[in-house]
Amino acid sequence: MQTYLVGGAVRDELLGLGVKDRDWVVVGATPEHMLAQGFTQVGSDFPVFLHPKTHEEYALARTERKQGHGYHGFSVYSAPDVTLEEDLLRRDLTINAMARSEQGELTDPFNGSKDLDARQLRHVSEAFKEDPLRILRTARFAARFQPLGFSVCQETMDLMRTMVAEGEVEHLVPERVWQEIQRAIHELSPCTFFQVLRDCGALAVLIPELTPDAIFSVAMDALQRVHAREDSTAERFSALLSPLDESTCAERAKALKAPNDCQQLARLAAASIPIIKQLDPIQPSASTLLELLEKADVSRRPERFSQLINVLECTLESGDQAQLEPLKKAADAASGVNPQALIKQGFAGKELGRAIRAERLERIAQAVCR
Ligand code: CTP
């Protein structure tokens, strides 16, 4: 039995980056052998085990063959006679298909280290086509390593275009797509992810509304700005969808199965932008401002409101930025209304709701309309 470090750990070590997760491949062993040594088996599809002490993943060398469309339908063959090279051959990119033995020797049958030097993301073999998720993974690695000078090589881009044209991307389940988007918007160059997807045609399948030039460039500008400032997935995702109108944005966020906080903030931002753009900069309407604050449910969701402001600061053109000042002032003014005081005055039920609204409106008018 021989054990090798594989995948991202070998790649990142050669790039001089810190290694987070270490994955291992075991050649020449059986599941019984692994269990006898104290490993525990995880997952039923693949022969993958956890080390009894380090809890790192050890996978038996395997080959995979696709049987159906999309991510499902792989037939996995794992036996002691599967070689390290055969296991590396089923992997996505050459830079991810290197192994290091316990003695420190590098196995690199597909010239991954050469591609690391040349800053190329290149598929290992035609087997890349068997897993459409690899299109998104490749775009995500492009987003991560673009600052180091990496790009997707021409042959791989051509292969990804063929896969898209053959309808493979349509078979991806939203959960996996979302997982990749979520990770990609936190990479160093998130816009590169969407540029690669657009270039190979996958964006037209996954988020078609973003593909027109004018919309795409607004979305990328917003994403770049929010990425430089804000860390939350919800803010980044909302900036991405900010050029869409409210209902298109809401439908797309739902179809992507984004988490609720992401869906809600994206929708709120998309709904707010046209209203803010129409505000009169000299004499902003107090009722429009209140309407916006009510839409944002600012009294109950102050944190989300500040996320909304962050997104708007990154998405509004400079000419419209000034409109955010009255909105912030209005939020401060409205928060000064004390429902308890109104209850003491005898207001209750619908009357109380009306009284709160009237007082908020008056305070907003005083604060912003001078
Ligand atoms: N892999 C693959 N195709 C996939 C998923 C994974 O070929 N669809 C292979 C690659 O060799 C990859 C390894 O499995 O390097 C481990 O996958 P994963 O942990 O997802 O990626 P890493 O390369 O370790 O990258 P990260 O730094 O994002 O964890």
Side-chain angles (χ1 to χ4, degrees):
M1 160 175 156
Q2 260 285 5
T3 303
Y4 301 88
L5 186 64
V6 281
V10 179
R11 176 199 69 217
D12 290 348
E13 171 215 296
L14 286 171
L15 280 173
L17 304 173
V19 172
K20 286 164 275 138
D21 297 324
R22 297 200 302 172
D23 294 314
W24 304 84
V25 157
V26 183
V27 177
T30 61
E32 294 72 31
H33 197 147
M34 300 298 284
L35 296 172
Q37 292 191 50
F39 284 82
T40 42
Q41 185 154 8
V42 286
S44 49
D45 299 347
F46 304 139
V48 179
F49 300 82
L50 293 186
H51 189 280
K53 291 212 176 92
T54 63
H55 303 291
E56 289 174 347
E57 277 194 10
Y58 285 68
L60 297 189
R62 66 179 189 258
T63 58
E64 286 171 356
R65 191 120 322 133
K66 192 173 155 181
Q67 287 175 326
H69 277 292
Y71 200 66
H72 302 287
F74 278 98
S75 83
V76 174
Y77 175 74
S78 161
D81 65 345
V82 175
T83 64
L84 178 62
E85 283 75 9
E86 282 170 331
D87 183 284
L88 295 176
L89 176 65
R90 71 167 170 83
R91 292 172 185 269
D92 53 3
L93 301 171
T94 62
I95 63 164
N96 291 341
M98 294 181 276
R100 194 176 287 292
S101 71
E102 286 169 307
Q103 295 73 36
E105 195 189 330
L106 189 71
T107 302
D108 180 14
F110 309 106
N111 298 315
S113 53
K114 196 171 142 215
D115 281 335
L116 275 185
D117 291 341
R119 302 313 205 212
Q120 291 286 283
L121 300 172
R122 185 190 310 280
H123 62 286
V124 170
S125 76
E126 285 287 304
F128 184 96
K129 281 182 80 172
E130 298 184 351
D131 179 3
L133 192 74
R134 288 175 168 173
I135 295 175
L136 280 85
R137 280 175 60 85
T138 301
R140 178 162 60 75
F141 285 118
R144 184 185 303 178
F145 293 135
Q146 188 275 343
L148 295 179
F150 277 81
S151 60
V152 181
C153 77
Q154 192 57 50
E155 298 91 298
T156 301
M157 190 49 99
D158 290 345
L159 185 67
M160 298 203 305
R161 284 197 186 111
T162 307
M163 290 166 73
V164 174
E166 287 172 354
E168 280 296 332
V169 174
E170 282 140 51
H171 297 286
L172 283 171
V173 294
E175 289 80 2
R176 300 206 68 112
V177 172
W178 172 256
Q179 200 180 10
E180 291 298 327
I181 291 178
Q182 192 261 330
R183 294 179 74 180
I185 56 185
H186 288 274
E187 295 290 3
L188 284 173
S189 175
C191 297
T192 304
F193 175 78
F194 295 99
Q195 266 142 12
V196 170
L197 292 185
R198 188 167 182 246
D199 287 353
C200 71
L203 192 66
V205 180
L206 299 171
I207 317 181
E209 305 83 4
L210 286 186
T211 51
D213 284 344
I215 293 182
F216 188 74
S217 77
V218 172
M220 292 303 105
D221 284 350
L223 181 58
Q224 193 56 47
R225 265 182 266 150
V226 82
H227 177 265
R229 285 180 32 158
E230 308 300 338
D231 202 39
S232 84
T233 303
E235 284 156 284
R236 290 173 184 211
F237 179 65
S238 302
L240 175 72
L241 296 193
S242 63
L244 308 183
D245 66 62
E246 182 184 356
S247 71
T248 312
C249 171
E251 276 167 39
R252 181 52 56 198
K254 190 169 175 221
L256 288 170
K257 296 208 174 157
N260 281 343
D261 65 325
C262 296
Q263 288 194 36
Q264 287 172 5
L265 186 64
R267 181 181 190 149
L268 185 58
S272 305
I273 291 166
I275 302 176
I276 291 174
K277 281 184 176 175
Q278 277 168 19
L279 274 179
D280 182 337
I282 314 228
Q283 202 69 287
S285 144
S287 62
T288 306
L289 289 168
L290 181 58
E291 199 188 304
L292 254 175
L293 297 176
E294 285 172 346
K295 226 182 220 304
D297 199 7
V298 64
S299 55
R300 270 182 296 191
R301 309 285 305 271
E303 272 176 34
R304 189 180 64 184
F305 182 70
S306 67
Q307 286 190 321
L308 174 67
I309 295 290
N310 291 337
V311 175
L312 295 175
E313 281 173 355
C314 296
T315 53
L316 288 171
E317 287 156 31
S318 49
D320 295 319
Q321 290 278 341
Q323 320 282 63
L324 290 177
E325 283 318 305
L327 182 62
K328 289 188 225 169
K329 275 190 195 164
D332 279 347
S335 71
V337 176
N338 180 359
Q340 292 303 325
L342 292 166
I343 291 168
K344 270 192 194 153
Q345 287 173 36
F347 288 102
K350 279 190 180 163
E351 284 301 311
L352 176 63
R354 271 190 220 116
I356 292 174
R357 197 163 196 281
E359 197 177 329
R360 282 183 180 155
L361 204 54
E362 201 184 307
R363 285 180 184 236
I364 292 171
Q366 276 176 7
V368 302
C369 311
R370 284 183 207 143

